[in-house]
Amino acid sequence: DTGVSQDPRHKITKRGQNVTFRCDPISEHNRLYWYRQTLGQGPEFLTYFQNEAQLEKSRLLSDRFSAERPKGSFSTLEIQRTEQGDSAMYLCASSPGQIYGYTFGSGTRLTVV
Amino acid sequence: AQSVSQHNHHVILSEAASLELGCNYSYGGTVNLFWYVQYPGQHLQLLLKYFSGDPLVKGIKGFEAEFIKSKFSFNLRKPSVQWSDTAEYFCAVIGASKIIFGSGTRLSIRP
């Protein structure tokens, strides 16, 4: 499979627990994006990497959220001390450049109970 | 700030009807626009994109969109919809460093 892979597909966690999601982008793509999508809404930008450098973080991203892309390949998104409001679909996308658009993964659906 | 507005939240059509989904954007710089589609249970897929040149852009599956700069619009059209077009459609614009999405329009097709 040469698309964008996300793991896990679903995660149910108790409030207050930490969770970590992984994204494997298309190997030739140097840009990687994380978005969050809730029911009935479009994807909201969270953060963006070019190679291993995190170039932008949304103001939506509280201090409980952190993302890494250590070798410029896969990326992880960690949420600490999860809250019910964190329940959403977390989407990863990669791109060789903005003019090409993004290729999205299938997402990780997080449910905080 | 960059933004995209999709005023139709839910559109219901019969098969073979014509489709037009509205999209208006707000962005001061060079405008690059997209339409993405999300079929039930699937990931977001690119339908079409506009960067420059002919303002009438053709995409996959018979969809097209027209960029009208004076109206800040990029409406999506299809002359005859099929049941398989049931999906959520998102208009998007490139901001300074990332794509900004509208809230989406859910399209339901009656067989």
Side-chain angles (χ1 to χ4, degrees):
Chain A
D1 186 347
T2 57
V4 176
S5 299
Q6 291 189 246
D7 184 68
R9 293 292 301 273
H10 303 275
K11 178 71 176 178
I12 299 174
T13 190
K14 290 184 178 179
R15 191 171 46 188
Q17 297 294 305
N18 300 343
V19 293
T20 300
F21 310 140
R22 178 181 169 117
C23 171
D24 286 272
I26 294 173
S27 56
E28 307 86 58
H29 292 182
N30 62 350
R31 296 176 185 222
L32 186 147
Y33 302 83
W34 286 97
Y35 283 78
R36 179 171 63 190
Q37 186 177 20
T38 53
L39 201 61
Q41 297 297 316
E44 295 176 299
F45 171 77
L46 293 178
T47 190
Y48 148 55
F49 290 85
Q50 186 160 326
N51 299 311
E52 64 274 12
Q54 187 174 20
L55 297 186
E56 188 174 344
K57 286 175 65 171
S58 166
R59 286 170 295 184
L60 295 173
L61 218 59
S62 77
D63 291 343
R64 296 184 297 106
F65 287 72
S66 62
E68 293 183 340
R69 193 182 183 196
K71 295 182 181 179
S73 56
F74 73 92
S75 176
T76 57
L77 177 69
E78 181 182 16
I79 309 174
Q80 296 182 324
R81 305 181 303 281
T82 51
E83 302 172 356
Q84 285 189 318
D86 297 331
S87 295
M89 178 73 86
Y90 289 84
L91 301 171
C92 178
S94 70
S95 173
Q98 293 218 93
I99 63 169
Y100 301 99
Y102 301 169
T103 301
F104 280 86
S106 299
T108 294
R109 182 170 295 284
L110 174 66
T111 303
V112 182
V113 297
Chain B
Q2 310 97 330
S3 66
V4 177
S5 297
Q6 293 182 249
H7 301 294
N8 308 113
H9 297 295
H10 188 193
V11 171
I12 303 172
L13 295 173
S14 298
E15 275 194 309
S18 64
L19 169 72
E20 182 159 3
L21 301 183
C23 172
N24 289 94
Y25 65 89
S26 169
Y27 184 59
T30 302
V31 177
N32 302 129
L33 295 154
F34 303 86
W35 276 96
Y36 277 82
V37 61
Q38 191 169 28
Y39 297 105
Q42 297 189 25
H43 60 275
L44 281 158
Q45 300 172 44
L46 182 64
L47 263 184
L48 49 80
K49 59 185 179 183
Y50 169 78
F51 279 86
S52 63
D54 189 343
L56 185 62
V57 180
K58 296 197 182 297
I60 60 171
K61 304 187 181 188
F63 286 91
E64 64 180 30
E66 186 173 12
F67 171 58
I68 303 180
K69 189 174 181 179
S70 61
K71 295 185 178 179
F72 299 92
S73 71
F74 189 56
N75 292 354
L76 181 70
R77 301 195 292 245
K78 185 171 184 178
S80 175
V81 295
Q82 302 170 310
W83 181 82
S84 59
D85 294 323
T86 296
E88 188 122 22
Y89 293 81
F90 296 94
C91 184
V93 64
I94 287 183
S97 58
K98 70 275 187 184
I99 291 178
I100 298 162
F101 288 85
S103 57
T105 297
R106 183 156 61 100
L107 176 63
S108 299
I109 306 296
R110 290 188 290 250

